[in-house]
């Protein structure tokens, strides 16, 4: 039995699916029980928690063979950094009290740095906290999500433009599909090791924003153009996506870190893993879902 915190998200859901496909039992750890119905239909147990309450988390983590942790992005809260640190206090206390055998958790490319990360600083804090835990832990530093393109499909179809916060638009960066992150997380949960592990995960190829546009152009059957969103407009862009002012600033700082090449894989001191999903195959699924 494995407890999955973040099962209603893309990575947590992919991890649970991979474990179920491998014949393992899953405990869905959720904040909102209404979101657990789909997992109950797949015979998953359900545990309802408060991410600030170590007692409910301890109960959810007790009696399992391992825990996967993916925390929420916190774009809707007034102070994401402070909120994240409160969650980490409760999580670390609960994991220790439940004597969890091992922990695998979602981190990010660049989380080896202690500054210049913007929103990824929450995951730096998580790595620092979890690496002090007494049980084996594994951090998955994932590349830029291919799923980030999903929100651009409708605009591309309607306007012929694909906005990009990343530039220059011909510079490739590592990207990965969330399904591949879940596959790696499930494999790690089924492994045995000692101490803290760090795994860097990217897809099989590097892709630029222009590559994204070219793929979308082919799949949508119309010419498309990559349009750079000026850095001065990044905060306003995130605010338009309903981020709070503090969250918009953190996301803007994160993108700036990618654009100046600061947020990148460490390369040394970490395992290197490669996902199987090509961008064009991932986008084919997203376009099909968005246009049906």
């Amino acid at each position: 039995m494995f407890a999955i915190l973040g099962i209603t998200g893309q990575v947590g859901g992919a991890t649970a699916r991979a474990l179920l496909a491998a014949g393992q039992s899953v405990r869905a750890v959720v904040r909102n029980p209404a979101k657990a119905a789909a997992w109950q239909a797949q015979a998953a147990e359900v545990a309802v928690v408060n991410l600030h309450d170590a007692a409910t988390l301890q109960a959810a983590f007790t009696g399992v063979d391992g825990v996967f942790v993916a925390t929420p992005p916190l774009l809707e809260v007034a102070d994401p950094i402070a909120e994240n640190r409160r969650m980490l206090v409760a999580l670390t206390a609960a994991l220790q009290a439940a004597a969890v055998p091992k922990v695998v958790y979602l981190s990010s490319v660049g989380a080896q740095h202690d500054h210049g990360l913007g929103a990824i600083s929450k995951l730096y804090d998580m790595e620092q906290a979890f690496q002090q835990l007494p049980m084996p832990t594994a951090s998955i530093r994932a590349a830029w999500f291919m799923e980030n393109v999903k929100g651009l499909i409708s605009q591309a179809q309607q306007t012929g433009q694909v906005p990009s916060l990343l530039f220059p638009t011909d510079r490739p960066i590592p990207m990965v599909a969330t399904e591949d992150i879940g596959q790696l997380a499930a494999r790690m949960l089924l492994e045995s090791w000692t101490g803290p592990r760090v795994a860097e995960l990217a897809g099989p190829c590097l892709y630029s924003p222009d590559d994204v546009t070219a793929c979308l152009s082919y799949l949508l059957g119309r010419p498309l153009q990559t349009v750079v969103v000026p850095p001065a407009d990044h905060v306003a862009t995130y605010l338009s996506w309903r981020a709070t002012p503090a969250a918009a600033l953190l996301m803007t700082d994160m993108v700036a870190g990618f654009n100046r090449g600061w947020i990148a894989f460490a390369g040394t001191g970490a395992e290197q893993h490669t996902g199987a999903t090509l961008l064009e195959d991932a986008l084919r699924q997203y376009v099909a879902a968005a246009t049906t």
Side-chain angles (χ1 to χ4, degrees), residues 10-11 106-107 142-149 174-178 181:
Q10 295 179 114
V11 176
L106 178 63
S107 185
W144 186 275
F145 287 5
M146 292 179 185
E147 278 76 2
N148 291 338
V149 179
M175 296 186 184
V176 69
T178 54
I181 306 173

Side-chain angles (χ1 to χ4, degrees), residues 63 124 133 162 179 214:
Y124 169 83
L133 289 169
V162 182
E179 200 67 27

Side-chain angles (χ1 to χ4, degrees), residues 116-129:
L117 298 175
I120 294 173
S121 62
K122 301 194 304 296
L123 300 172
Y124 169 83
D125 288 344
M126 178 182 285
E127 287 199 6
Q128 296 304 300

Side-chain angles (χ1 to χ4, degrees), residues 34 51 72 79 96 110 145 218 245 258:
L51 291 180
D79 188 341
Q96 291 184 80
F145 287 5
Y218 172 76
F258 275 101

